[in-house]
Amino acid sequence: MKKLSGILLIDDDDTTNFLNKRLLDRMEVSNHIRTFVNGKQAFDYLYNVSNKNYEVESSEYFQPELIFLDINMPVMDGFEMLDLYERLNPEFRKKIVMVVLTTSTHPQDTANSKKYNAEYIIKPLTAEKVNRLLEVHFSDKGEEA
């Protein structure tokens, strides 16, 4: 399986971001992983990447293929961020798998995630959960003969 072009981890808990980044690094899923502590930071980043509002392609700016998004965060929560994300260019968004990664098992949160066409995964993130996502969403990418 090829490496993903990039992954974003969006969670207000630094320990969660650290552990998830470590897991993904160990699994060698991508060389580009960025973390954000609220939806506003992440949306600003995605807005800039989708509009190419930066000078040079670099490890600072990359098109993510996978985003893990927490729901409950200060400044801008996950669903507020998803509302804005839906306004980004559809061509840009169709290359991204959005995953709501949360401790919430509330049926309303699950329903909201479906509304945004996002996967819904209960924390903690594990290698098994990552492998399932990769299998479902990325296993046939780039392997057409």
Side-chain angles (χ1 to χ4, degrees):
M1 184 167 306
K2 74 175 187 70
K3 285 191 178 191
L4 302 183
S5 61
I7 299 172
L8 300 186
L9 299 170
I10 310 164
D11 197 307
D12 61 317
D13 184 69
D14 288 330
T15 304
T16 299
N17 280 332
F18 173 80
L19 292 172
N20 289 345
K21 183 175 185 321
R22 205 168 99 191
L23 170 70
L24 295 167
D25 282 341
R26 267 195 319 226
M27 293 178 71
E28 299 181 350
V29 178
S30 176
N31 291 330
H32 301 287
I33 301 173
R34 282 202 63 170
T35 60
F36 297 97
V37 293
N38 66 58
K40 180 170 182 350
Q41 284 181 342
F43 176 77
D44 289 347
Y45 174 85
L46 289 167
Y47 178 85
N48 286 328
V49 170
S50 71
N51 289 301
K52 306 241 185 292
N53 289 344
Y54 49 89
E55 295 302 310
V56 194
E57 202 48 50
S58 71
S59 60
E60 283 297 299
Y61 286 100
F62 53 83
Q63 158 97 35
E65 285 184 86
L66 184 58
I67 298 175
F68 291 99
L69 175 66
D70 188 25
I71 295 174
N72 298 311
M73 296 179 288
V75 185
M76 180 187 289
D77 73 25
F79 290 127
E80 289 172 311
M81 195 218 124
L82 284 168
D83 281 336
L84 290 173
Y85 174 76
E86 289 288 306
R87 298 180 196 163
L88 293 176
N89 181 330
E91 283 298 306
F92 174 76
R93 284 186 292 124
K94 82 176 188 187
K95 299 176 190 145
I96 299 172
V97 174
M98 181 65 75
V99 180
V100 172
L101 180 65
T102 181
T103 55
S104 170
T105 55
H106 194 283
Q108 187 63 46
D109 290 339
T110 314
N112 278 343
S113 297
K114 285 189 176 52
K115 183 175 87 176
Y116 294 107
N117 198 21
E119 290 272 346
Y120 194 87
I121 295 180
I122 303 297
K123 290 178 183 176
L125 189 60
T126 62
E128 293 74 27
K129 291 173 185 175
V130 171
N131 282 328
R132 190 191 68 75
L133 278 170
L134 295 174
E135 205 171 284
V136 170
H137 296 284
F138 300 101
S139 61
D140 60 354
K141 278 202 169 177
E143 293 178 356
E144 289 106 31

